[in-house]
Amino acid sequence: MNEKHDTNRRRTPRPPAFNGGRLLLATLIGGLALPLLPGHCVLFFVGPCEPELKQQLQRRAEELGVAKRVEFHAMLPSAELLEWTASAHVGLQVQRNVGLNSYYCAPIKIYQYFAAGLPVLAPNFPGMLDLVEGEQLGLCVDPEDVNAIAEGM
């Protein structure tokens, strides 16, 4: 994504994967962004997910024919989480604007992605634009536009 990101870093033998949160999963699966991505791309989610939401997202992924490209994993100890995160190719944090905090602040997940050496795809909110694009650590897109998210990835 940028010259500062080391694209030659060693990775575990996994297909290109994206790491994100619950709202992101709903956007990527329910909003149809995942089917727009190349077939070798996988979305993985690490952490708690309410059983009802997980079932809903799995059903939607099956309907869209992308169920094999969505993985859910239980919470991991912090030491393992960084390794899992570093195995991804892109860190996704394209949360929607649900209040002033999400609009002006950068969540801890962004810094975890930076620590793992990942380029980041983030929302085009003021707090993210300055950090992510200003420091050339990734790209910011409209989090409500699944085409922009897919294109950004």
Side-chain angles (χ1 to χ4, degrees), residues 44-62:
F44 68 92
F45 172 75
V46 178
C49 186
E50 297 82 9
E52 186 176 306
L53 175 61
K54 182 178 177 181
Q55 289 174 350
Q56 177 185 0
L57 293 172
Q58 287 173 323
R59 275 193 307 272
R60 184 66 175 138
E62 286 175 17

Side-chain angles (χ1 to χ4, degrees), residues 2-152:
N2 65 60
E3 294 176 16
K4 286 186 177 182
H5 178 65
D6 179 9
T7 56
N8 296 316
R9 150 176 114 258
R10 189 176 198 167
R11 297 186 189 282
T12 58
R14 291 187 192 163
F18 307 102
N19 185 347
R22 286 186 298 261
L23 289 176
L24 175 63
L25 282 172
T27 299
L28 291 174
I29 298 170
L32 306 177
L34 188 57
L36 297 175
L37 298 175
H40 64 280
C41 295
V42 175
L43 175 69
F44 68 92
F45 172 75
V46 178
C49 186
E50 297 82 9
E52 186 176 306
L53 175 61
K54 182 178 177 181
Q55 289 174 350
Q56 177 185 0
L57 293 172
Q58 287 173 323
R59 275 193 307 272
R60 184 66 175 138
E62 286 175 17
E63 291 169 4
L64 296 170
V66 296
K68 292 181 179 178
R69 297 171 50 202
V70 179
E71 298 180 22
F72 293 87
H73 298 277
M75 285 185 70
L76 296 169
S78 295
E80 291 179 39
L81 181 59
L82 186 58
E83 184 179 327
W84 271 78
T85 301
S87 75
H89 288 80
V90 176
L92 297 176
Q93 187 62 43
V94 287
Q95 82 265 6
R96 295 180 172 155
N97 180 8
V98 294
L100 291 176
N101 191 47
S102 67
Y103 190 70
Y104 287 108
C105 300
I108 190 72
K109 181 60 65 185
I110 290 287
Y111 298 99
Q112 291 171 334
Y113 293 152
F114 295 160
L118 295 180
V120 173
L121 187 66
N124 57 355
F125 302 157
M128 296 290 199
L129 281 165
D130 290 344
L131 179 62
V132 175
E133 290 189 358
E135 296 298 322
Q136 299 180 346
L137 296 168
L139 179 66
C140 293
V141 298
D142 179 351
E144 302 289 335
D145 183 347
V146 293
N147 290 315
I149 293 169
E151 187 176 313

